[in-house]
Amino acid sequence: MSDTPGETKLRTMHPAMKFALEMGPLVVFFIANARAGIYVATAAFMIATFAALAMMWLLARKIAVMPLVSAAVVLVFGTLTLWLQDDHFIKMKPTIVNALFGLALLGGLALKKPLLPYILGDVFVLTDRGWRELTIRWGVFFIVMAVVNEIVWRSVSTDTWVAFKTFGYLPLTLVFAMAQVPLMTRHSAEPAAGADPKE
């Protein structure tokens, strides 16, 4: 059966490939820092991040909001790091990204404009209460991770911070995401015929 003319065909990306594309730039960052220092690592991280975005587009014909926003912040703070030769900027990048996501989620909820259904509504269908509780949890998680990053980079060496960013942040996020499965199962809902899951 042929696609509708002019319609872009979306593809499903295997979870293992998605994880590899998210982890890849961090591994590049870690290796480059160990071999050549934080500034070379920053440049390599920027290149690897945008290469991963390109692969996501080629494989799925779409890029999720979070990797896109994160890449934009990497571009800005990575450029400042290299231009000013000040590694504080790249160290603050996770703080800024997490704070943005956390404030956006909690702020949207406070304004009665929950954003999470627009991000995950094509994957999960939850009750209003489920979306509210999940949004609060993720919003608080992002704020906590922003605070954690600030504590870590201000308290330890650059090499230790890079190791935490590479092997600590993503696993913690995956563990937290898996911990939300019972909530999503408990508040799952079948969409009504023709209904928009975001409504």
Side-chain angles (χ1 to χ4, degrees), residues 7 50 63 94 103 105 110 116 119 160 168:
E7 181 181 347
F50 286 95
I63 301 175
L103 292 174
L105 289 175
L116 207 56
I119 299 173
T160 302

Side-chain angles (χ1 to χ4, degrees), residues 126-185:
L126 305 180
T127 63
D128 289 343
R129 180 179 176 183
W131 283 122
R132 184 168 60 254
E133 292 186 11
L134 192 63
T135 297
I136 291 172
R137 290 188 184 189
W138 274 108
V140 171
F141 173 78
F142 284 128
I143 296 296
V144 168
M145 291 304 293
V147 173
V148 168
N149 183 70
E150 281 297 294
I151 293 173
V152 172
W153 83 258
R154 293 176 186 274
S155 305
V156 302
S157 68
T158 296
D159 289 346
T160 302
W161 172 78
V162 170
F164 167 76
K165 176 177 171 59
T166 305
F167 302 110
Y169 178 78
L170 192 54
L172 284 173
T173 304
L174 290 174
V175 169
F176 181 81
M178 292 301 296
Q180 307 317 304
V181 171
L183 181 148
M184 292 188 291
T185 301

Side-chain angles (χ1 to χ4, degrees), residues 11-186:
R11 306 168 186 169
T12 302
M13 189 186 307
H14 193 281
M17 177 59 71
K18 184 175 183 294
F19 177 78
L21 290 175
E22 291 177 352
M23 191 69 182
L26 294 174
V27 173
V28 168
F29 187 56
F30 178 79
I31 294 173
N33 178 73
R35 294 187 175 182
I38 189 65
Y39 297 112
V40 171
T42 298
F45 183 51
M46 293 170 67
I47 294 170
T49 296
F50 286 95
L53 282 185
M55 284 298 298
M56 288 179 187
W57 173 256
L58 288 174
L59 293 173
R61 286 294 185 264
K62 64 178 179 179
I63 301 175
V65 173
M66 292 177 65
L68 198 58
V69 172
S70 182
V73 178
V74 166
L75 177 62
V76 173
F77 281 75
T79 300
L80 288 172
T81 297
L82 298 176
W83 185 25
L84 301 175
Q85 290 293 287
D86 186 344
D87 63 4
H88 288 168
F89 290 103
I90 197 64
K91 291 177 179 177
M92 290 173 60
K93 175 262 174 185
T95 301
I96 300 300
V97 170
N98 284 297
L100 282 175
F101 287 146
L103 292 174
L105 289 175
L106 296 177
L109 198 61
L111 296 173
K112 310 297 183 184
K113 299 287 185 181
L115 301 177
L116 207 56
Y118 288 92
I119 299 173
L120 300 177
D122 292 335
V123 182
F124 303 105
V125 180
L126 305 180
T127 63
D128 289 343
R129 180 179 176 183
W131 283 122
R132 184 168 60 254
E133 292 186 11
L134 192 63
T135 297
I136 291 172
R137 290 188 184 189
W138 274 108
V140 171
F141 173 78
F142 284 128
I143 296 296
V144 168
M145 291 304 293
V147 173
V148 168
N149 183 70
E150 281 297 294
I151 293 173
V152 172
W153 83 258
R154 293 176 186 274
S155 305
V156 302
S157 68
T158 296
D159 289 346
T160 302
W161 172 78
V162 170
F164 167 76
K165 176 177 171 59
T166 305
F167 302 110
Y169 178 78
L170 192 54
L172 284 173
T173 304
L174 290 174
V175 169
F176 181 81
M178 292 301 296
Q180 307 317 304
V181 171
L183 181 148
M184 292 188 291
T185 301
R186 190 164 60 250

